[in-house]
Amino acid sequence: MKLILLSILCAFTLTITAQKESPKFVTSVEGIKEYSLSNGLQILLIQDPSQSNLIVNIVYNVGSRHEGYGEKGMAHLLEHMLFKSTTNLGDIKKMLTEKAGNANGTTWYDRTNYYEIFPATDDLLKWSIEMEADRMLNATILQSDLDQEFSVVRNEFEIGENRPSNVLMQRLLSTAYVWHNYGNTTIGSKEDIERVTAETLRVFYEKYYQPDNATLVIAGNFEEAKALEYIRDYFSVLPKPKRVLNKTYTVEPPQDGERFVELRRAGDSQNVAAVYHTASYADEDYPAIDLLLEILKSDPSGYLYKALVETQKASSIWTFHPSLRDAGFAYFNVEVPKDKSLEDAKNTFLAELDKIQVTNYTQEDFNRGKAKLLKQIEDTKNNTIRYAINFTEIIGAGDYRLWFIYRDRLEKLTLQDIDRVAKKYFKPNNRTYGVFIPSESEERVRPKEITDQEIVDLTKNYKGKEDSGEEIASFDATITNIKNNLTEKSLNSGLKYGFLKKPIRGKRVMASFRVPVGTLDALKGKTHVANLMASMLKSGTSSRTKEQIQDFLDIKQSNVNFSWNSQALFINVTTYEEHFAEIMDFVKECLTASVFPENELTKTKLDNKTWLESQLNEPQSIVFNEMSRHMQDYDKSHIFYSFSNQERIDREVVVTRQQIVDFYTNFLGGNNATGAIAGNLEQTAMDNVMKNTFEGWVSKAPYERVYPKHFEIKSSVQKKINTPDKENAAVAGGLNIKINDTHPDYPALLMSNEMLGSGGFLTARIPHRLRELEGISYGAGSFLNVPVDNENGSWGAYAFYNPGFVDRVENALKEEITKASTTGFSDEEFKNSITSWLNSRKTLLGNDNYVLSLINSSLFFNTEIEKFDQLESDVLKLNVNEVNTVFKKYIGLDNLVLIFAGDFEKK
């Protein structure tokens, strides 16, 4: 109570004594305007009128790197606590629920960030800035809240402990780093987390959560003058702290020999991994190392990929090279199927790593990898929300301008730079994997230490490239405006498409297509053939190899993805106006000239098998899979049958190339397809591209829509599945509901689910009970699936928790369902939920992918997109009594399927 009172008094004093100050303009770098306040706050403004959303992202220069003895995990724990409450505004989660945007916080080695994504309105911008300013200094940090949050953070820790590759990385890094905090996990030590007091946590908070240690990033569609006004009103009144924030200075000494780690624990897939000490993000070597890693691991051209995956000694390889303030690391992970020799894979892996220094990399290797990295940069820059979040890491690494300096350095790299960093960093004595071997004369790797002053000197006069001059028009993300800018057409061969003419940052073009094929009888037993066919459409065509395909997409800075679901092929495209026609030509090539190489099929099946094996004893995978299997009664040959992971393994392994070719040849065709395209293209050009791509592409097989059945669950089902040595457990519950989205009960059922488990920011009843009140689950909630043109609806709930809490979780779930069914929801609860739900829908319409899906679905189901607004009108007509009646009608325990999985026998 004393702490709360003190905070209130401090806040009041600040309000009446501090002088408001307008932010001072500092510089502009490639469309980013930098401002500052005399209290030390750095401000970055990124305007994008084509967005209908905005993001407020505040980054604090504190992460696990800054934690001292007894403080491991404190930065991450504070991240959780700052979603509790403040002395001025009150309950943060309740307010986020009312505003209904997307919000999150993350912690990493060098930084912690908090962000909110909202529809672009002055009120929401103002509130976001006010809230972030308030919790910067006035978080309550109550011991009662901390006591409750301990087990939530512990559950998050346990979820990570279920993943062998995650634990292996932790062990390797803790062995590679003897002194530097990069060897400690961000989530921290359970012992430190569970023993820290609110008073101790407050000391850490007051030290680091200050304006001189923060950068405020605002991006999207907003008025600059308004943003600066709100920053003046709420942030400028915060005083510059009197404390001096000492910089960290620990430098990891050069590694003096290869180190080895062996990890033994339960799991269904094998992993081999290695880590090398490398450079900080500000180091001129960093882009060259990034490019080298791309050359080594790229599918299908990478040297490590060819040695391990191409030869089927491993199923996949990935690398990780984080953007860090101090000298960082390059991490390699190889997944090995359990029926393959781990020893053989390990020996090949180490032998290939030893070759990194001596390999003669080619100009083709260099050009290919460089194109891939530059594409990623361009993709990030032209997605404004992701762009703003991206700067979180760069700010943590030293300065936001380092991102542009990285790009400039990447563009200037030569093949000689790749050879240089390969020889400098990738020495066996700089690797953590093996054993200690005495050696008298080895050149040890000492990464460069970069001081704060060097980063200041590097970035202070950086201006970036000249502005492209692109004028980005605004676009009002409403159903009315979408409809006004939407043109729907059909090809003679049958495909229907909708073109939404709208500006997208960077002149991007986005497209999605749904290609339904076949009949129930014709598709029987072909689910795994279809899945593999879709995943291999970019594996090679009659005119291009897989390697050439990937090079082409990278050079054109474009992405094309294919996937299969039940009865349809789905195609997603992201490109740019200048490349759209050429990329759609490539889509046509994949759809009409794919060759499905035998060696690629073998690798694809091996990769899938390894992934599925890793899920055989994974509680989260088990509970949802088993729940689905108990809720339906299809024959195994039916396209809607839910296969267990083992069944998928058994069935995929016997699929032949000829089966895939036959399916591809006989079934694929666009005569029943639908599509949606968004971009600022000319209509005539768009129509010509659609004709060129899809006209005449017709399936040889007849098509008839297959509708899922509604299965009555006669009585409740409850099942516990033991998964030995898994630190985290899971539960999933579900029941079938005979309903569709035109049913008069749908709006009320939707809102009841919002209040019970899916709405708000952890304020719906299930997450509030399990996470906020009892602190026994990191993730919990409910979901509702209501179809458009059939009555196979379903409702479900879930929770992730420590296995020792299984009884409490079960009781809590059942009590909340029973309570909602008997006593119902309150009128206040209902009104708050409507406000939150309406705001969340505005945010949805600002997401281009969602809008494409909306248009595509309306074409496929032959409905109008105005249904989006109609649903809102129907919800606004409801009263809480109608909602309670509908919930009681459909949701209860009598027919609930409830599946638990975890290590329930551990003592």
Coordinates of all heavy atoms in Angstrom, one line a residue, residues 528 616 625 629 636 641-652:
H528 N -3.1 -37.4 -48.8 CA -1.6 -37.2 -48.6 C -1.0 -37.0 -50.0 O 0.0 -36.3 -50.0 CB -1.1 -38.5 -47.9 CG -1.7 -38.7 -46.6 ND1 -1.5 -37.9 -45.5 CD2 -2.6 -39.7 -46.2 CE1 -2.3 -38.4 -44.5 NE2 -2.9 -39.4 -44.9
L616 N 4.7 -36.5 -32.0 CA 4.1 -37.7 -31.6 C 3.8 -37.7 -30.1 O 2.8 -38.2 -29.6 CB 4.9 -39.0 -31.9 CG 5.0 -39.4 -33.4 CD1 6.0 -40.5 -33.6 CD2 3.6 -39.8 -33.8
N625 N -5.4 -32.9 -31.9 CA -5.6 -34.0 -32.8 C -6.6 -35.0 -32.3 O -7.6 -35.4 -33.0 CB -4.3 -34.7 -33.1 CG -4.4 -35.7 -34.2 OD1 -4.8 -36.8 -34.0 ND2 -4.0 -35.3 -35.4
R629 N -10.5 -36.0 -33.6 CA -10.8 -37.4 -34.0 C -12.1 -37.9 -33.2 O -12.8 -38.7 -33.8 CB -9.6 -38.3 -33.7 CG -8.5 -38.1 -34.7 CD -7.1 -38.6 -34.2 NE -7.1 -40.0 -34.0 CZ -7.0 -40.9 -35.0 NH1 -6.9 -40.5 -36.2 NH2 -7.0 -42.2 -34.7
K636 N -11.6 -43.4 -43.1 CA -10.2 -43.0 -43.2 C -9.9 -42.5 -44.7 O -8.9 -41.7 -44.9 CB -9.2 -44.1 -42.9 CG -9.1 -44.3 -41.4 CD -8.0 -45.3 -41.1 CE -7.9 -45.5 -39.6 NZ -6.8 -46.4 -39.2
Y641 N -11.3 -36.6 -42.9 CA -10.9 -37.5 -41.8 C -9.7 -36.9 -41.1 O -8.8 -36.3 -41.8 CB -10.5 -38.9 -42.3 CG -10.0 -39.8 -41.2 CD1 -10.8 -40.4 -40.3 CD2 -8.6 -40.0 -41.2 CE1 -10.3 -41.3 -39.3 CE2 -8.1 -40.9 -40.2 CZ -8.9 -41.5 -39.3 OH -8.4 -42.3 -38.3
S642 N -9.6 -36.9 -39.8 CA -8.5 -36.3 -39.0 C -7.5 -37.5 -38.8 O -7.7 -38.3 -37.9 CB -8.9 -35.7 -37.7 OG -9.7 -34.6 -37.9
F643 N -6.4 -37.4 -39.4 CA -5.3 -38.4 -39.3 C -4.5 -38.1 -38.0 O -4.2 -37.0 -37.7 CB -4.4 -38.5 -40.5 CG -5.0 -39.0 -41.7 CD1 -5.7 -38.2 -42.6 CD2 -5.0 -40.4 -42.0 CE1 -6.2 -38.7 -43.8 CE2 -5.6 -40.9 -43.1 CZ -6.3 -40.0 -44.0
S644 N -4.2 -39.2 -37.3 CA -3.2 -39.0 -36.2 C -1.8 -38.8 -36.9 O -1.6 -39.0 -38.1 CB -3.1 -40.3 -35.4 OG -2.5 -41.3 -36.1
N645 N -0.9 -38.3 -36.1 CA 0.4 -38.0 -36.6 C 1.1 -39.3 -37.1 O 1.8 -39.3 -38.2 CB 1.3 -37.3 -35.6 CG 0.9 -35.9 -35.3 OD1 0.5 -35.2 -36.2 ND2 1.0 -35.5 -34.1
Q646 N 0.9 -40.4 -36.4 CA 1.5 -41.7 -36.9 C 0.8 -42.1 -38.2 O 1.5 -42.7 -39.1 CB 1.3 -42.7 -35.8 CG 2.1 -44.0 -36.1 CD 3.6 -43.8 -36.3 OE1 4.2 -43.3 -35.4 NE2 4.1 -44.2 -37.4
E647 N -0.5 -42.0 -38.3 CA -1.2 -42.3 -39.5 C -0.6 -41.5 -40.7 O -0.5 -42.0 -41.8 CB -2.7 -42.1 -39.4 CG -3.3 -43.2 -38.5 CD -4.8 -42.9 -38.3 OE1 -5.2 -41.7 -38.3 OE2 -5.6 -43.9 -38.1
R648 N -0.4 -40.2 -40.5 CA 0.2 -39.4 -41.5 C 1.5 -39.9 -42.0 O 1.9 -39.9 -43.1 CB 0.2 -37.9 -41.1 CG -1.1 -37.2 -41.0 CD -0.9 -35.7 -40.7 NE -0.1 -35.1 -41.7 CZ 0.4 -33.8 -41.5 NH1 0.1 -33.2 -40.4 NH2 1.1 -33.3 -42.5
I649 N 2.4 -40.2 -41.0 CA 3.7 -40.8 -41.3 C 3.6 -42.0 -42.1 O 4.2 -42.2 -43.2 CB 4.5 -41.1 -40.0 CG1 4.8 -39.8 -39.2 CG2 5.7 -41.9 -40.3 CD1 5.4 -40.0 -37.9
D650 N 2.7 -42.9 -41.7 CA 2.6 -44.2 -42.4 C 2.0 -44.0 -43.8 O 2.4 -44.8 -44.7 CB 1.6 -45.1 -41.6 CG 2.2 -45.5 -40.2 OD1 3.4 -45.4 -40.1 OD2 1.4 -45.9 -39.4
R651 N 1.1 -43.1 -44.0 CA 0.5 -42.9 -45.3 C 1.4 -42.1 -46.3 O 1.4 -42.4 -47.5 CB -0.9 -42.3 -45.2 CG -1.8 -43.3 -44.5 CD -3.3 -42.8 -44.5 NE -4.1 -43.8 -44.0 CZ -5.2 -44.3 -44.7 NH1 -5.5 -43.8 -45.9 NH2 -6.0 -45.2 -44.2
E652 N 2.1 -41.1 -45.7 CA 2.9 -40.3 -46.6 C 4.1 -41.1 -47.2 O 4.5 -40.9 -48.3 CB 3.4 -39.0 -45.9 CG 2.4 -37.9 -45.9 CD 3.0 -36.6 -45.6 OE1 4.3 -36.5 -45.5 OE2 2.3 -35.6 -45.5

